Amino acid sequence: MSRNLAEWLAYQERVNPRSIELGLERVRHVWQRMGARPPARHVITVGGTNGKGSTVALLESMLEAAGRRTGAYTSPHLLHYNERIRIGGIDAADEALVASFERIEAARAEIPLTYFEFGTLAALDLFARAELDVAVLEVGLGGRLDAVNIVDADVAVITTIDLDHMDWLGPDRDSIGREKAGIARAGRPAIVGELDPPAGLLDALDARGARVVRAGADFFTERHPGGWRWRHRDGTVLELPDPALAAPVQYANAAAAIAALHATDAAGTPLLAVDSLADVAASGLQRVRVPARLQSLGGDPELFVDVGHNPQAARALAAWLAVQPPARVHAVYGALADKDVAGVIGVLGPHVAHWHLAGLERDSPRGMPVTALAEHLRHVLPHASFDQHDSVAAALAAARASAQPGERILAFGSFFVAAAVVGAPSA
């Protein structure tokens, strides 16, 4: 009996009792049974704590501007599962995904796979059939043992390292950095997008024999009125327009993406000529679109939505708020139970006038109830102004009802928050 896409996704959620099961042996075995065809002529793998999705989108946009046939794999999705796999900028069709899942199911036989592993194999399968120039793959969790890592990257990009998923990756930045370094390969470029990376990351990259290319040491960014400059220590200088993505952190993401294209020389054949990089990067920066990355949904008060869900992301939001015109900020906030809620609240507390808290237990087994969220808020900010709601929709409605023209609504904390806000009817 054939299944439609929704039925396949429901099946994948129950076929393996573990929602997360790190390790490459099972998924590699299934991939080999499927033929293990390369997903593209060139592969760029993007890992890190924050900024992965934006960096994938920037790479995809720049490569498309260069006329390269490109596939992009990201997770999680915002509104539709199909968003996870794009070929030529177009989301995978239901029929293509179903056909790929059927091939994976036939190959796996007795081997258990997680929901994420099914999706990763589907991306590799569909990319291999599409005769791509480049596949850009986003790591799901960590790097060394993530399913994406069954493919050898020609270039690895590691955006940032911060404290997240600590139960799986380790208790500090050094141990997390060592896990994320696992996507790099000996003799191949590894782009480090953070100015102050942990020693554990750099040590692990050195031990793997990667060709490390570091922000602030090998490539540099300089902002100026009307744009910004990217330059490399080899003398390459690009004069560029500001990214279409709003957050200040997008300059670092864009710089890492450009460094990856600059370094791509798989099999000695450059993916892009250096003299075309300025035009390609400029076009990609202006065309790139990523939903729910400090996305304005308009209105007055203006509504912004962001998927930020950990302290590092909160610091980026705080930096953006600090340079905006003064306005009273209403936060619509929900979180998963395994996140550092206290860290997020502590960072954004000085910028938020009122918190509209939302429970997420209806959205995910990992969702934090609003009562627990309120306890965190009371502990970190005893005098904070807030109200409680059992859903994101209710919290958003309350924010819209109480915020005045000229004020600002910021919805963030999880992909579940972002999905509910982006999918909500306009006010």
Side-chain angles (χ1 to χ4, degrees), residues 73-104:
Y73 173 52
T74 62
S75 65
H77 60 275
L78 194 63
L79 298 178
H80 305 290
Y81 185 91
N82 313 60
E83 299 165 17
R84 295 180 178 226
I85 301 173
R86 298 187 297 273
I87 296 174
I90 299 172
D91 295 348
D94 285 13
E95 296 79 7
L97 288 165
V98 166
S100 187
F101 290 149
E102 289 173 348
R103 290 189 288 270
I104 295 165

Side-chain angles (χ1 to χ4, degrees), residues 31 35 40 129 167 214 236 256 289 321 381:
W31 185 53
R129 295 167 182 273
D167 290 346
R214 288 182 56 182
T236 303
R289 297 292 182 271
L321 287 168
L381 302 173

